[in-house]
Amino acid sequence: MAGVTLSKVVKRFGSYEIIHGASLEVADGEFVVFVGPSGCGKSTLLRMIAGLESVTEGDVSIGGRVVNDVEPAERGVAMVFQSYALYPHMTVEQNLSFGLRMTGHDKADIARRVERTAGILRIAELLKRKPRQLSGGQRQRVAIGRAIMREPQLFLFDEPLSNLDAELRVQMRVELARLHKELGVTMIYVTHDQTEAMTLADRIVVLRDGTIEQVGRPLDLYNDPDNQFVAGFVGSPKMNFIPALVVEGDGRGVTVELAGQERTTRLTQPLAGPAPEPGSRVVVGVRPEHFGDAGKGDADLLVNVDIVEHLGGTSFIYASTAGDYGLVIQRDADGVADAAEITVSIRKSYLFDENGKRLR
Amino acid sequence: MRQRTQTAYAFLTPYLLIFLAFWIWPIINSFWLSFLNTRSANWTFNPRMTWGRLLVDPAFANALQNTLVILVIQVPIMIALATVLATLLNSPALKVRGLFRFAFFAPVVVGEVAYAAMFRLLFNEFGIINKMLAGIGLTTIPWLSDPNAAMAVIIIALTWRWAGYNAIIILAGLQSIPEDVYEAATLDGVSKVRQFFFMTLPLLKPVILLCVVLSVIGTMQLFSEPFLITNRGGPGQATETLGLFLYRQGFNAFNFGYASAVAYTIAALAIAISLLNLWLGRERE
Ligand SMILES: Nc1ncnc2c1ncn2[C@@H]1O[C@H](COP(=O)(O)OP(=O)(O)O)[C@@H](O)[C@H]1O
Ligand SMILES: [Mg+2]
């Protein structure tokens, strides 16, 4: 059993710095998801924990032991790769047992583990097949099985589901959650898909350009993002961002004027911290589901309806304001009238300063 | 549409005619020739003088033996060497990879005569190889006048010429093995050496098999090296190969019937040995 600690981890390839001092505590048995756009350094960070990449600066510890100079195989980790990385010339059974056979493990024990693994992942009937005779979902199961075989203290997943179709992805997501419950070991999971992160994680680590933007439980990130990036990244469809100018502010709150509206639209928000100077630029963030009926919120917007998507229970209205700011508005299906223009009210909003930092 | 098809064939015709006259026809004709006694003024049907003679001709047996000896010694050594070279070429630690790749490939594009002349000089009685042997206190070897030594020279020359070529083919195979498979094995605790023997080699099998088959075909037709380096299969007939024997029968003795039978034998052997290799290396389920 092992937690993971990153302290001020830096990674450079040559002179190019990819990870800029990441610090993080992962508790024993926790399911932590690294999420962020493609190229932000998620894989690099994961591979440093696995030992596949060296650590340029800082320390990586597993189970309280600094492992910077420990061989990958000695770290007690198992990793599942996006491309599965199965041994193509071996049967499923050989794939599962290869590592243990090569390291001189007891034969009877290997057989026992194969049986157990095949049971957990329901791949018993595939044991004699080669990887190319398997579907994508089956390959991914085998890849996970190979990780289980090692009985690791720590599982690392690098976008394990991104090569699967949508339906299978949902199914495997549920299985991974079940697996985590069953094995009770620490798991670190990398994905660029915020839905995966939200559904799987005990805690989410949001990364951008090699920097940890925020760490928190899924709903905390959703309800209380630290900055505009996290606010935009977590939640689907994305949070709407409307530029605004500060009109006045004092110790208790701030009033801003939204840009690009049909008529002057002001919004007042309480603030615990100091308010920005009048005249400074801010951004108002509104989640699609935080629009309400006209007159029932903090501010009313008149918008032009471009397209309406009916999903059954809910509908998404793709609209724009007079200043041509696109908005996505979520409404109950029966609350959507077939109109070219509607007025919606902002029921809840977030305020960000010019640098994207949350104002609260 | 028909018009266009005709035009296409019209353009192809010159090539097809030449192909027919200089490829297809000789192949068919030599098969017929291989049953004729071509040593008399008018050629008569007499397979005993061609196919029959193959069974009893000690010179043919000698050439066959020499060819097979070269095949059995040279091909495995060269393929093993090529695999090692390819692995080194593929190493991420290697700088200037392009230069090495070119250097390994270069022997193939060197003219045969130049390369043969160079080897004659190197292995000459007073050549640099003997100088070096003497320099480190070993006895010199009469490379080109001792039958076994001459055979060794042929094998060394062939290996020098073709190992790099095969290494490049194997390198392509190596590069098609995804890196993450090795990473998975590393995490599984499999040592680099074991990764090579239990992953790289099995995964390279189809490519290595291809190299073996190409080399077998090449060696069965071996001609230039014994002709040019050991001076027409010398000393005596010590390095005479099937290719050389065919040449001697066809173009020195003008015994076209017998030479045709030898030619068909070479082709049949090359096919048989290649098939045997493919069968031995087949995917077993
Ligand atoms: N071996 C490498 N050498 C140089 N740059 C690399 C290497 N591996 C990754 N990078 C760079 O590091 C950045 C982060 O990559 P990666 O960790 O794979 O991102 P992610 O997994 O979040 O998509 C990218 O800009 C990528 O180009
Ligand atoms: Mg990645």
Side-chain angles (χ1 to χ4, degrees):
Chain A
M1 297 291 106
V4 178
T5 308
L6 306 181
S7 42
K8 304 205 184 96
V9 169
V10 172
K11 178 66 188 179
R12 275 189 288 267
F13 290 109
S15 61
Y16 195 53
E17 191 168 300
I18 302 294
I19 305 286
H20 319 286
S23 296
L24 179 70
E25 289 275 353
V26 177
D28 182 24
E30 203 176 11
F31 197 127
V32 167
V33 175
F34 292 176
V35 70
S38 194
C40 70
K42 308 178 294 288
S43 298
T44 305
L45 206 51
L46 196 72
R47 290 164 59 81
M48 281 195 281
I49 298 171
L52 295 173
E53 298 285 358
S54 63
V55 179
T56 313
E57 275 170 35
D59 286 328
V60 174
S61 328
I62 299 176
R65 176 173 68 131
V66 174
V67 293
N68 288 22
D69 299 318
V70 177
E71 287 296 311
E74 310 294 319
R75 297 187 180 196
V77 304
M79 183 157 164
V80 177
F81 296 81
Q82 175 174 357
S83 56
Y84 319 128
L86 297 177
Y87 310 125
H89 57 301
M90 298 184 200
T91 64
V92 168
E93 185 169 10
Q94 290 165 336
N95 260 284
L96 293 179
S97 61
F98 183 60
L100 295 177
R101 277 187 284 127
M102 288 292 115
T103 46
H105 227 77
D106 173 53
K107 278 216 176 76
D109 184 44
I110 296 177
R112 205 166 38 70
R113 289 196 198 187
V114 168
E115 193 179 337
R116 175 167 161 269
T117 304
I120 293 176
L121 293 168
R122 296 189 277 265
I123 51 174
E125 71 284 359
L126 306 177
L127 287 177
K128 297 291 172 228
R129 294 206 206 159
K130 295 262 177 80
R132 65 166 177 278
Q133 298 164 310
L134 303 176
S135 70
Q138 291 170 330
R139 282 179 208 183
Q140 193 52 272
R141 265 173 225 271
V142 176
I144 295 169
R146 188 173 59 185
I148 293 178
M149 285 292 290
R150 305 196 59 219
E151 301 185 348
Q153 317 172 40
L154 173 62
F155 277 92
L156 305 174
F157 297 92
D158 193 354
E159 312 221 11
L161 307 186
S162 50
N163 286 346
L164 304 180
D165 63 51
E167 199 178 327
L168 208 51
R169 212 150 49 209
V170 175
Q171 199 182 321
M172 286 300 292
R173 220 156 66 194
V174 176
E175 295 225 9
L176 279 174
R178 178 177 64 93
L179 194 69
H180 179 239
K181 219 161 153 187
E182 245 174 78
L183 301 176
V185 296
T186 317
M187 294 188 173
I188 299 180
Y189 185 105
V190 161
T191 180
H192 64 268
D193 177 355
Q194 63 91 28
T195 315
E196 254 171 46
M198 293 294 281
T199 51
L200 280 171
D202 293 329
R203 275 195 310 155
I204 295 178
V205 177
V206 183
L207 283 159
R208 173 167 65 154
D209 294 341
T211 306
I212 295 179
E213 291 282 325
Q214 192 174 354
V215 182
R217 289 180 303 170
L219 287 184
D220 291 345
L221 292 191
Y222 180 84
N223 290 323
D224 196 13
D226 278 347
N227 54 52
Q228 193 179 342
F229 177 78
V230 174
F233 199 81
V234 175
S236 172
K238 277 171 62 121
M239 184 184 280
N240 298 291
F241 294 115
I242 309 164
L245 275 183
V246 174
V247 181
E248 58 181 6
D250 56 27
R252 279 163 300 148
V254 63
T255 301
V256 301
E257 184 176 318
L258 303 185
Q261 305 303 316
E262 183 82 19
R263 46 184 184 261
T264 308
T265 309
R266 292 195 170 173
L267 182 80
T268 304
Q269 266 213 355
L271 282 185
E277 294 288 306
S280 52
R281 291 167 194 278
V282 292
V283 172
V284 175
V286 186
R287 292 204 182 276
E289 59 270 37
H290 290 156
F291 287 106
D293 294 334
K296 293 192 179 161
D298 304 331
D300 282 358
L301 305 181
L302 181 69
V303 298
N304 298 308
V305 177
D306 298 329
I307 286 174
V308 182
E309 274 182 5
H310 297 286
L311 299 183
T314 58
S315 296
F316 292 112
I317 302 169
Y318 294 84
S320 50
T321 65
D324 219 20
Y325 293 107
L327 294 178
V328 183
I329 300 160
Q330 182 180 352
R331 307 306 309 271
D332 287 346
D334 46 10
V336 177
D338 210 2
E341 262 187 2
I342 56 172
T343 305
V344 289
S345 183
I346 295 174
R347 288 195 288 112
K348 184 176 179 191
S349 58
Y350 301 83
L351 222 50
F352 304 96
D353 72 12
E354 228 177 339
N355 303 318
K357 199 171 160 328
R358 174 89 180 277
L359 295 169
R360 35 185 165 200
Chain B
M1 192 63 207
R2 255 183 66 84
Q3 181 64 40
R4 286 173 59 181
T5 316
Q6 280 174 6
T7 312
Y9 277 114
F11 274 109
L12 281 173
T13 304
Y15 168 73
L16 288 176
L17 285 179
I18 289 170
F19 182 67
L20 214 66
F22 292 101
W23 273 96
I24 303 296
W25 171 243
I27 288 173
I28 296 169
N29 190 43
S30 67
F31 186 66
W32 169 239
L33 275 181
S34 74
F35 293 92
L36 299 187
N37 175 5
T38 53
R39 304 204 63 188
S40 50
N42 46 353
W43 298 353
T44 54
F45 184 81
N46 190 352
R48 274 208 6 237
M49 294 297 288
T50 56
W51 292 101
R53 185 175 162 192
L54 283 178
L55 302 175
V56 295
D57 187 348
F60 172 76
N62 170 61
L64 178 61
Q65 188 192 335
N66 288 342
T67 306
L68 292 180
V69 166
I70 293 172
L71 185 89
V72 166
I73 297 177
Q74 191 262 332
V75 174
I77 290 178
M78 177 187 66
I79 299 292
L81 189 65
T83 308
V84 172
L85 288 180
T87 310
L88 294 180
L89 271 180
N90 200 34
S91 156
L94 183 71
K95 308 292 174 213
V96 289
R97 176 162 310 132
L99 181 68
F100 279 101
R101 227 169 19 207
F102 169 73
F104 287 162
F105 201 76
V108 179
V109 288
V110 171
E112 278 181 339
V113 175
Y115 133 79
M118 190 184 75
F119 268 83
R120 281 185 68 84
L121 283 175
L122 284 174
F123 286 92
N124 178 311
E125 191 80 53
F126 310 104
I128 190 152
I129 301 288
N130 272 345
K131 286 254 161 62
M132 278 160 59
L133 286 178
I136 55 171
L138 296 174
T139 53
T140 60
I141 296 170
W143 289 106
L144 299 175
S145 51
D146 176 78
N148 288 332
M151 202 69 146
V153 171
I154 297 286
I155 288 172
I156 292 169
L158 276 175
T159 304
W160 178 81
R161 188 146 203 240
W162 294 104
Y165 174 84
N166 285 289
I168 301 294
I169 298 179
I170 294 172
L171 177 64
L174 275 178
Q175 287 173 341
S176 74
I177 305 176
E179 183 59 30
D180 53 13
V181 176
Y182 290 104
E183 292 180 344
T186 303
L187 282 171
D188 264 350
V190 183
S191 69
K192 287 273 176 260
V193 174
R194 278 168 178 263
Q195 286 180 24
F196 180 80
F197 283 104
F198 290 92
M199 292 166 58
T200 308
L201 277 188
L203 289 171
L204 280 182
K205 200 169 76 175
V207 177
I208 291 183
L209 217 53
L210 170 78
C211 288
V212 169
V213 168
L214 288 178
S215 306
V216 165
I217 293 170
T219 308
M220 289 310 293
Q221 308 176 4
L222 187 59
F223 176 82
S224 314
E225 283 81 359
F227 188 84
L228 294 168
I229 299 177
T230 52
N231 198 12
R232 306 195 172 212
Q237 245 88 73
T239 56
E240 185 168 70
T241 57
L242 286 176
L244 215 51
F245 180 72
L246 179 152
Y247 173 82
R248 201 151 62 85
Q249 290 302 329
F251 302 102
N252 288 344
F254 298 110
N255 188 353
F256 294 120
Y258 191 36
S260 297
V262 173
Y264 266 89
T265 307
I266 293 175
L269 278 172
I271 291 170
I273 297 174
S274 299
L275 287 178
L276 179 71
N277 278 317
L278 291 175
W279 182 74
L280 286 175
R282 75 196 181 281
E283 187 88 6
R284 290 184 194 89
E285 288 301 333

